Every structure is written in structure tokens, then in C-alpha cells.
Amino acid sequence: EAQVTQNPRYLITVTGKKLTVTCSQNMNHEYMSWYRQDPGLGLRQIYYSMNVEVTDKGDVPEGYKVSRKEKRNFPLILESPSPNQTSLYFCASSSQTGAGGYTFGSGTRLTVV
Amino acid sequence: GQNIDQPTEMTATEGAIVQINCTYQTSGFNGLFWYQQHAGEAPTFLSYNVLDGLEEKGRFSSFLSRSKGYSYLLLKELQMKDSASYLCAVRTGGFKTIFGAGTRLFVKA
């Protein structure tokens, strides 16, 4: 089944404790992206990647890191999480043209206390 | 700046037709997308427009006018299960994809 797999689904952590949210896709998609979704603000793009070893900042990259060492994986790293990073996070992938739209992962609900 | 505007909420009756509008201002344009998102779930892809005109897919149609920076999603024969948020998104010239805040559609019996 074509899918984007994110883990974990839920995470509660403390301020300053480094964490990684994993994302993997099995569709051989070139384009991958991370979004956060907050009430009233919609989906905001954190980082995106056009292909292996090619990443670029979205609209809200501060406090986040990504890497794209393999085509299928695109982890999101929070080096020192803060409470304002409490949010619902989605990983998504698409073909290079984007014509088929994004396939989204199931989401990660992160709470930083 | 870049922005996408769509109504916050709409209500329609089962069996009716509803049109959800989206206007956008972006630096460059490489396609417009509509997604459906049920509460607590991930968005799912509905439609893609890159050229002006109407794209039809079953009960759902999407229209684009690039010169006006305008799109709409048309839902026909509304069903209760169509109650969801509908997200308009634009892939910009730099291949970022930005989303509007979404339109919550309530379908009543």
C-alpha cells in the first residue's frame, strides 16, 4: 500500500530534550515536506526537500532541522524543543511535479511541557 | 507577502451544491490544490489545477483563473460525510507549497 509513515503518533516531552520524528514513504517520491498545523493558522511549511541531499526552508523553520540522506526518509529534528513547538505535525510526499498532490502521514501530536 | 484566503466556515444542506472560494497572492505559481481534512485526520488530496479552467472528478469540481488569482471547489449532491475542512494550497515559484487556513463545511440534514 502506498503510504507515508510517521512515528510517533503522540509524544509528550520536556523543554530542551532533543527529539526526532521519523517519516518514511514507499512511493519513490522526490519531494518531501514537513508541516505544522495550529488552530486558526492552517498548515505551515517547516522544511521541504526536492530530492536526496537537497533541503530548503519553509515559512517556519526556526527551531527545526531536517536531513535527506535517503530518498524514502525525511526525519524532523527538534534539538531543543520549547513549548511554542507544541503542535500537530504532518509529513507529506509527492512526485516532483506535484500533480498528484501530497500524500500525508497520519500526523504526530507533540506536546512540550 | 504571500497569502491564501478562503472563508472560515460554510453551512449547506444535504443534497445541495456548495462552492468554496479561494483567492491567492503568491510569488510564482506552479499549481493549485484542494484537500479534504476530517477532524483528527490527515488531509487527503482532492484536485489539482495548473491551467485555467474546470477540472471535474465525480461529485467534485475545481476551477482556476490564474489571471484573477482565484479558484473554487464545487461539491455537488452533498452528503453528510462531506462535513470536513477544505484546504486550498498553492505551489509557488520556489516550489514551496502554502496552505490557506481552511474552510469548515457543515452539512445539515
Side-chain angles (χ1 to χ4, degrees):
Chain A
E1 180 192 352
Q3 60 185 357
V4 175
T5 303
Q6 264 181 257
N7 281 297
R9 289 292 308 274
Y10 301 91
L11 179 60
I12 301 174
T13 191
V14 296
T15 299
K17 186 177 180 182
K18 181 179 178 180
L19 67 92
T20 299
V21 185
T22 62
C23 174
S24 181
Q25 51 95 4
N26 63 359
M27 295 162 282
N28 202 35
H29 281 162
E30 294 85 4
Y31 190 97
M32 296 186 76
S33 187
W34 277 102
Y35 287 85
R36 60 178 290 173
Q37 188 172 36
D38 302 289
L41 296 177
L43 285 158
R44 292 181 293 167
Q45 195 168 32
I46 302 170
Y47 271 95
Y48 63 99
S49 170
M50 298 290 287
N51 215 323
V52 176
E53 302 292 2
V54 180
T55 63
D56 210 343
K57 295 178 181 178
D59 290 324
V60 289
E62 294 78 21
Y64 305 94
K65 283 176 57 177
V66 293
S67 67
R68 187 92 182 272
K69 294 186 172 64
E70 306 163 282
K71 198 171 189 179
R72 62 184 293 123
N73 295 324
F74 192 45
L76 179 71
I77 302 155
L78 284 73
E79 294 269 2
S80 183
S82 62
N84 66 11
Q85 293 179 298
T86 292
S87 188
L88 177 60
Y89 291 86
F90 287 104
C91 180
S93 74
S94 74
S95 66
Q96 191 76 283
T97 65
Y102 277 136
T103 300
F104 281 86
S106 298
T108 297
R109 187 164 291 281
L110 172 66
T111 302
V112 184
V113 298
Chain B
Q2 307 196 96
N3 66 283
I4 297 177
D5 290 315
Q6 47 181 133
T8 305
E9 286 185 1
M10 299 182 72
T11 301
T13 305
E14 195 175 15
I17 300 172
V18 71
Q19 178 175 312
I20 302 174
N21 294 325
C22 169
T23 58
Y24 64 90
Q25 288 179 301
T26 58
S27 51
F29 179 85
N30 276 302
L32 186 140
F33 304 83
W34 285 95
Y35 292 85
Q36 181 190 61
Q37 186 177 25
H38 284 101
E41 297 182 9
T44 56
F45 169 71
L46 290 176
S47 69
Y48 169 70
N49 295 71
V50 67
L51 299 176
D52 290 352
L54 188 69
E55 294 283 341
E56 297 187 79
K57 224 190 231 187
R59 294 190 298 115
F60 293 68
S61 304
S62 57
F63 171 83
L64 174 67
S65 168
R66 288 172 297 169
S67 62
K68 294 181 179 174
Y70 169 70
S71 173
Y72 67 74
L73 179 69
L74 196 70
L75 292 76
K76 302 175 191 173
E77 300 167 17
L78 278 174
Q79 302 174 10
M80 299 300 288
K81 68 178 182 179
D82 296 329
S83 292
S85 290
Y86 291 85
L87 314 180
C88 175
V90 172
R91 182 172 272 198
T92 69
F95 291 95
K96 287 183 181 181
T97 299
I98 59 174
F99 282 77
T103 299
R104 289 185 68 187
L105 175 65
F106 299 93
V107 180
K108 58 183 184 179

